[in-house]
Amino acid sequence: MAVEVQSTKKAAETPSPTSSLVYKVSIVVDTHIDTTMMLGKEGWDFMVRHSPVKGEDSNHVDLPRIKEGGLDAAFFSIYMPGTITGPEAVKRSLILIDHVRKLAEDHPNEIVLATTAAEVRAEHKVGKFAALMGMEGGHMIDDSLAVLRDYQRLGVRYLTLSHSVNTNWSDSSGDTPTHNGLTDFGKDVVRELNRLGMLVDISHVSDKTFWDALETSKAPLVASHSSLRSISGHPRNMTDDMIRAPGGKGGVIMINYSRSFLSGDPYRAGLHHVPGGDAWTVEGKAHLGQEMLSPVGSEAGDAWNQRLRAGKKGPLEIAPWVCQLHEIPNEHPFTLGADTTDR
């Protein structure tokens, strides 16, 4: 979402003159935060600053730090694993939606539930944080356009067609294809999203699902957290042809800067991970080093994340991705979509 209006917010750190100018004339929107799962946790308060430490309180988004960082709006992710389906998925989705809506209801002077760009602009002018919602996975609609319409009525404004496993109508990049892209019903979902004014998100989908969605949709597509496959071979990343394609419809790519999407090394090492456990093979450890391959929360894993935050790990720099995107002829903008707890 690109909104250009004058801002009076102050940066937490001193930026360069160029970045300061961009910062001042823009509304800053994060299109994907995973904080929603924390909102219903007993004793956890979005309005209180939390320290990014290991353990159950390791979430990195709260209102004090949002204000410090100058974030004006964010899409709270309505998410659960793709293996949770049917009525149970709908029930859990409604609970997550309620958490976001209640957050705004409980703090009307600071947070507002927004469903349009106009609302984001209006609330920005009066200094309020705009909370939006995006649904990360088509499995949560329970194969029902009626359920999709209800989500839209409740304020959800984008749908990721599939998450890490296939739905009954959409192939995922993380699963073995079973539908050759979108089924006829899957194409109906895309058309209904268009009619409802909801964004079609193609992060996580298979390549064929992407091309089917592009052909079917009359509105722009978004890749809410995808990067470049030419740099990292992760199947969730986009090929150059895929990056060029949405431009004619005004699509937007949000660069994912979780480590396995920015560099081929973490992705290749990840292939050596022992399924279902925290251990890595000798080959994987030798490839990247113990720190990077250690689970979050472990001493070595925490050391790795501290090095990331200190800016001391070259392969994860964002600048090369931006330069690479400029080398690919396209007519659509790109932004950043973290998809990581270190927001």
Side-chain angles (χ1 to χ4, degrees):
M1 181 182 296
V3 186
E4 295 187 358
V5 296
Q6 187 67 28
S7 171
T8 58
K9 57 182 176 284
K10 295 181 180 179
E13 299 178 358
T14 302
S16 68
T18 300
S19 61
S20 179
L21 177 61
V22 172
Y23 188 76
K24 288 181 179 180
V25 301
S26 301
I27 291 179
V28 181
V29 183
D30 188 332
T31 55
H32 187 99
I33 65 172
D34 291 310
T35 311
T36 320
M37 65 186 73
M38 301 294 293
L39 297 181
K41 182 181 177 182
E42 185 177 355
W44 194 88
D45 190 350
F46 184 77
M47 310 302 288
V48 175
R49 181 184 177 88
H50 298 265
S51 298
V53 296
K54 64 183 179 181
E56 294 183 359
D57 192 29
S58 61
N59 189 274
H60 291 70
V61 181
D62 50 52
L63 192 64
R65 283 181 289 172
I66 280 173
K67 291 181 176 180
E68 290 174 11
L71 184 64
D72 300 302
F75 281 83
F76 286 74
S77 178
I78 307 302
Y79 163 77
M80 67 199 65
T83 52
I84 301 172
T85 59
E88 179 64 21
V90 176
K91 176 183 177 181
R92 294 194 190 190
S93 297
L94 294 175
I95 292 172
L96 293 171
I97 290 170
D98 180 69
H99 289 335
V100 178
R101 295 181 64 92
K102 191 173 187 303
L103 179 67
E105 291 169 2
D106 290 346
H107 305 282
N109 295 325
E110 297 171 282
I111 302 171
V112 65
L113 182 70
T115 59
T116 67
E119 290 173 352
V120 173
R121 293 188 185 101
E123 299 307 325
H124 175 264
K125 289 181 179 179
V126 297
K128 293 184 181 181
F129 176 72
L132 304 100
M133 291 183 286
M135 182 162 282
E136 192 179 13
H139 57 287
M140 286 175 271
I141 72 169
D142 192 21
D143 302 336
S144 170
L145 297 181
V147 171
L148 175 61
R149 289 189 285 269
D150 282 339
Y151 289 149
Q152 190 270 350
R153 294 180 185 113
L154 290 170
V156 176
R157 286 300 179 265
Y158 75 68
L159 178 71
T160 311
L161 298 180
S162 56
H163 193 248
S164 295
V165 297
N166 300 335
T167 69
N168 291 332
W169 46 270
S170 172
D171 283 336
S172 164
S173 64
D175 204 348
T176 302
T178 58
H179 309 301
N180 190 32
L182 288 175
T183 66
D184 289 342
F185 177 76
K187 295 175 183 178
D188 287 341
V189 170
V190 171
R191 285 187 279 265
E192 187 67 359
L193 289 169
N194 288 171
R195 191 188 71 81
L196 292 170
M198 296 175 67
L199 297 172
V200 180
D201 179 22
I202 50 78
S203 288
H204 282 284
V205 305
S206 71
D207 289 8
K208 184 58 165 58
T209 297
F210 165 85
W211 292 111
D212 286 351
L214 181 66
E215 180 181 6
T216 305
S217 180
K218 302 300 182 184
L221 303 181
V222 298
S224 63
H225 48 298
S226 297
S227 298
L228 281 68
R229 205 177 297 174
S230 59
I231 295 179
S232 172
H234 201 294
R236 270 178 55 189
N237 285 345
M238 300 177 69
T239 67
D240 288 2
D241 286 343
M242 295 167 75
I243 290 168
R244 295 185 187 98
K249 293 183 178 179
V252 182
I253 299 169
M254 290 77 163
I255 296 177
N256 182 332
Y257 49 98
S258 184
R259 57 195 182 189
S260 62
F261 300 94
L262 282 185
S263 171
D265 287 345
Y267 169 64
R268 286 189 294 272
L271 297 179
H272 301 298
H273 190 272
V274 177
D278 289 328
W280 294 76
T281 64
V282 173
E283 182 181 357
K285 290 180 179 179
H287 191 66
L288 285 179
Q290 179 63 44
E291 281 185 355
M292 184 173 183
L293 301 176
S294 299
V296 174
S298 67
E299 183 176 352
D302 288 345
W304 166 256
N305 284 323
Q306 288 173 7
R307 290 173 64 186
L308 288 185
R309 285 191 287 272
K312 297 179 180 178
K313 199 64 180 178
L316 299 184
E317 294 176 353
I318 307 300
W321 289 82
V322 175
C323 294
Q324 180 73 8
L325 273 172
H326 277 299
E327 295 296 321
I328 302 172
N330 63 81
E331 301 176 1
H332 59 287
F334 61 88
T335 60
L336 300 177
D339 193 34
T340 175
T341 56
D342 293 315
R343 298 183 189 280

